[in-house]
């Protein structure tokens, strides 16, 4: 996707003060009616600059399979485009390694105009929010994932107003569908059945004619 250079450069500048690395723009069909929004890249994604190519990516493909989707036919992006990390102790020479962490609000705002631009450009009807960070960024909703997963929220989305320094609402509405982040099952394998039933619900809602 062609993204104006100033939007990219300003996003990179705004995130510079924070402990992040790499930069991933997004991938897929920018004419798709479905956009998938993750949280932030992990280690593999940050190195290669491609979304969801690590362990979570394999899990995402399983979810897409259940939905009958092809990853090339949707547009995949995320709330923050650089990998947020923290140092943790490790059994290696330096005694430490980088671990993933959730992006903080300042990092989310730093990259918000990029996601806002991509949403306007793709102009999808459906936006799948992978996990609580994406759902809250898009809707302001702070519900627990287990309470909303697979529901459809017909709503405007939040956009960052750079000049005003605050969130505002998009003009149009979208069907926002929260799903568990694909990595969630690694921490909590018990949710596998819930994931599958939420995907079936989404597949039924979208119906044959809107399958991508
Ligand atoms: N999690 C995300 O949100 N995006 C990726 O690309 C990988 C993991």
């Amino acid at each position: 996707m062609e993204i104006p250079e100033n939007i990219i450069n300003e996003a990179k500048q705004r995130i510079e003060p924070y402990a992040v690395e790499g930069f991933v723009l997004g991938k897929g069909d920018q004419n798709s009616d479905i956009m998938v929004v993750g949280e932030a890249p992990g280690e593999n994604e940050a190195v290669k600059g491609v979304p969801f190519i690590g362990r979570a990516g394999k899990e995402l493909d399983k979810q897409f399979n259940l939905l009958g989707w092809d990853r090339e036919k949707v547009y995949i992006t995320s709330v923050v485009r650089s990998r947020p990390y923290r140092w943790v102790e490790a059994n290696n020479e330096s005694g430490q390694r980088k671990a993933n962490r959730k992006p903080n609000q300042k990092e989310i705002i730093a990259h918000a105009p990029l996601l806002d631009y991509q949403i306007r450009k793709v102009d999808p009807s459906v936006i799948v929010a992978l996990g609580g960070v994406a759902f809250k960024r898009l809707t302001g909703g702070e519900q627990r994932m287990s309470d909303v997963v697979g529901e459809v929220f017909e709503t405007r989305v939040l956009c960052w107003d750079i000049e005003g320094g605050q969130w505002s609402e998009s003009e149009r509405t979208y069907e926002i569908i929260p799903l568990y982040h694909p990595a969630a099952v690694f921490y909590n394998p018990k949710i596998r059945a819930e994931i599958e039933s939420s995907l079936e619900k989404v597949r039924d809602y979208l119906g044959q004619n809107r399958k991508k």
Side-chain angles (χ1 to χ4, degrees):
M1 175 187 295
E2 289 278 325
I3 298 179
E5 247 177 63
N6 66 310
I7 294 188
I8 295 181
N9 292 340
E10 286 165 18
K12 286 183 173 170
Q13 269 171 20
R14 280 192 303 264
I15 204 127
E16 231 174 54
Y18 308 107
V20 300
E21 61 184 4
F23 194 77
V24 182
L25 266 183
K27 199 165 186 286
D29 179 1
Q30 56 180 296
N31 297 313
S32 181
D33 206 29
I34 299 174
M35 190 161 178
V36 176
V37 180
E39 183 177 298
E43 185 178 6
N44 292 304
E45 290 83 8
V47 171
K48 298 259 170 66
V50 181
F52 286 104
I53 49 168
R55 202 167 154 226
K58 291 214 176 78
E59 202 52 47
L60 183 65
D61 284 335
K62 280 192 206 161
Q63 299 196 1
F64 280 4
N65 250 339
L66 262 164
L67 288 166
W69 294 359
D70 175 340
R71 77 149 76 190
E72 298 306 321
K73 294 200 175 139
V74 300
Y75 192 79
I76 305 179
T77 185
S78 61
V79 170
V80 170
R81 307 319 167 80
S82 302
R83 174 199 184 199
Y85 65 81
R86 65 191 166 87
W87 289 104
V88 295
E89 275 182 33
N91 266 338
N92 57 19
E93 258 176 51
S94 64
Q96 55 177 10
R97 66 172 178 86
K98 289 173 181 171
N100 293 344
R101 63 171 170 81
K102 280 192 188 298
N104 64 40
Q105 192 61 14
K106 288 186 175 156
E107 291 160 345
I108 290 171
I109 289 171
H111 280 181
L114 247 179
L115 180 58
D116 295 340
Y117 179 85
Q118 288 180 309
I119 293 173
R120 281 199 305 276
K121 186 95 178 168
V122 176
D123 198 29
S125 311
V126 174
I127 305 181
V128 172
L130 295 175
V133 169
F135 185 64
K136 184 171 178 216
R137 154 64 176 92
L138 291 166
T139 65
E142 300 203 31
Q143 298 97 313
R144 292 157 58 102
M145 264 298 116
S146 53
D147 290 338
V148 292
V149 69
E151 303 276 324
V152 180
F153 293 78
E154 173 97 40
T155 179
R156 297 172 199 274
V157 296
L158 296 178
C159 317
W160 183 251
D161 167 8
I162 303 177
E163 252 112 77
Q166 60 185 355
W167 295 103
S168 60
E169 286 189 337
S170 62
E171 279 177 18
R172 63 160 290 192
T173 62
Y174 303 84
E175 288 153 276
I176 311 288
I177 307 181
L179 291 179
Y180 279 114
H181 189 281
V185 74
F186 305 145
Y187 308 107
N188 187 1
K190 284 194 207 136
I191 60 174
R192 174 80 63 195
E194 204 187 329
I195 291 174
E196 285 174 9
S197 62
S198 67
L199 292 169
E200 279 160 18
K201 193 162 143 191
V202 172
R203 191 187 55 201
D204 292 348
Y205 171 79
L206 293 176
Q208 289 294 331
N209 56 338
R210 291 172 67 187
K211 263 195 200 169
K212 287 260 167 173

